[in-house]
Amino acid sequence: MDKPLFLAGGAYGCVFSPYITCKGKLSHNYKFLSKIQVRNFYSYNEVHMGQKIIKRMPLEYKFFFAPAVHHCDINIKEFMHLGIDSCKIVQTQKKSPFILLKIPYI
């Protein structure tokens, strides 16, 4: 597979499998998903809350939550070769800054 599978899209972003690295390469690691979002207060809040959950529940969080375990700011133009334009947010917010979240697949 040379392109990630579009799993879902919503008001805040889109989810793809397998994980896309911060360098725009497909990882072939199906234990993680990628969530692409517009970079704003809400995306950073999701990262921050995930870090708090992991810190407070280091052994148990995997049973209850799927927090972002890694994130990076991305230039969306460098990811278009992966076919992520199936994401409505990417189509409508092309000039906005984006963030990529690495989330465990449950």
Side-chain angles (χ1 to χ4, degrees):
M1 176 193 299
D2 59 341
K3 295 189 184 217
L5 177 65
F6 173 79
L7 297 178
Y12 291 103
C14 295
V15 178
F16 295 91
S17 177
Y19 175 66
I20 304 167
T21 69
C22 292
K23 294 183 178 182
K25 299 195 187 295
L26 210 52
S27 74
H28 301 292
N29 183 347
Y30 289 89
K31 293 183 180 184
F32 294 94
L33 304 171
S34 292
K35 183 175 183 184
I36 296 176
Q37 298 179 259
V38 172
R39 186 179 72 213
N40 57 26
F41 167 80
Y42 301 104
S43 60
Y44 279 115
N45 190 52
E46 182 173 348
V47 170
H48 178 69
M49 294 307 292
Q51 290 169 342
K52 279 187 164 189
I53 290 168
I54 292 169
K55 185 176 181 181
R56 290 187 183 180
M57 304 173 68
L59 301 175
E60 302 90 0
Y61 81 88
K62 293 178 183 177
F63 297 108
F64 304 102
F65 303 100
V69 295
H70 182 72
H71 72 281
C72 56
D73 294 336
I74 60 170
N75 179 345
I76 202 68
K77 292 176 186 173
E78 295 174 7
F79 286 68
M80 295 307 262
H81 70 281
L82 294 169
I84 61 166
D85 53 345
S86 56
C87 176
K88 190 173 184 176
I89 293 289
V90 171
Q91 293 172 5
T92 60
Q93 304 283 330
K94 285 182 183 176
K95 295 185 179 182
S96 298
F98 282 85
I99 188 170
L100 175 73
L101 305 179
K102 180 178 182 180
I103 301 172
Y105 183 80
I106 298 177

